[in-house]
Amino acid sequence: MGCGTPQGKMSKNTVLPNGLVQGHAYTVTGVKQVMSQGTPVNLVRVWNPWGQGQWKGDWSDKSPFRQTVSPEDREMCLSVADDGEFWMTQEDFCRFYSDLDICCLCPDFLDGTSSYHWKTSF
């Protein structure tokens, strides 16, 4: 799954104050629901293919929200590293990314024999 940030008014590849790069392609590498202070939170894991530069908002590597989940969730999915991969809420993902592309490379999809049909919405 690929996603992208909107181009905006500034020049391409401008790093915004929130850490995201304007007009840039990213990859969605995972989703996870965690419990934070008794409330479920839907998180999206995103990777910057540059291998550096990360989201600086809620649920980022240095966010205090990371301390509100169980130690097991923190260990399993909320590791801290400057590797370009980061977590953000589903709401923030929808607010800051302009598109999400999902590709299927199944052989039966390509030859038209699949009973599954793709739909596109904008």
Side-chain angles (χ1 to χ4, degrees):
M1 292 193 299
C3 57
T5 53
Q7 181 56 43
K9 297 177 183 178
M10 295 182 257
S11 66
K12 192 173 183 175
N13 294 332
T14 299
V15 178
L16 301 172
N18 64 14
L20 299 179
V21 180
Q22 186 174 303
H24 186 53
Y26 290 81
T27 302
V28 173
T29 59
V31 293
K32 172 80 174 161
Q33 185 176 76
V34 296
M35 293 299 289
S36 173
Q37 300 174 332
T39 304
V41 178
N42 295 320
L43 298 176
V44 180
R45 186 175 61 206
V46 182
W47 179 63
N48 179 345
W50 288 350
Q52 61 183 1
Q54 301 186 165
W55 166 248
K56 295 178 182 176
D58 292 348
W59 296 93
S60 64
D61 285 0
K62 297 180 182 177
S63 170
F65 284 104
R66 295 162 98 38
Q67 300 305 314
T68 66
V69 299
S70 71
E72 294 82 17
D73 280 339
R74 216 172 16 254
E75 177 70 28
M76 181 173 61
C77 68
L78 297 177
S79 64
V80 176
D82 187 17
D83 57 2
E85 193 167 56
F86 54 89
W87 289 90
M88 64 190 327
T89 64
Q90 178 181 342
E91 292 80 12
D92 281 338
F93 179 83
C94 291
R95 182 177 16 251
F96 293 108
Y97 287 86
S98 58
D99 59 88
L100 175 66
D101 301 306
I102 303 171
C103 298
C104 176
L105 300 177
C106 305
D108 58 347
F109 174 75
L110 297 174
D111 67 13
T113 62
S114 175
S115 61
Y116 299 102
H117 299 284
W118 286 85
K119 294 182 181 178
T120 303
S121 63
F122 297 92

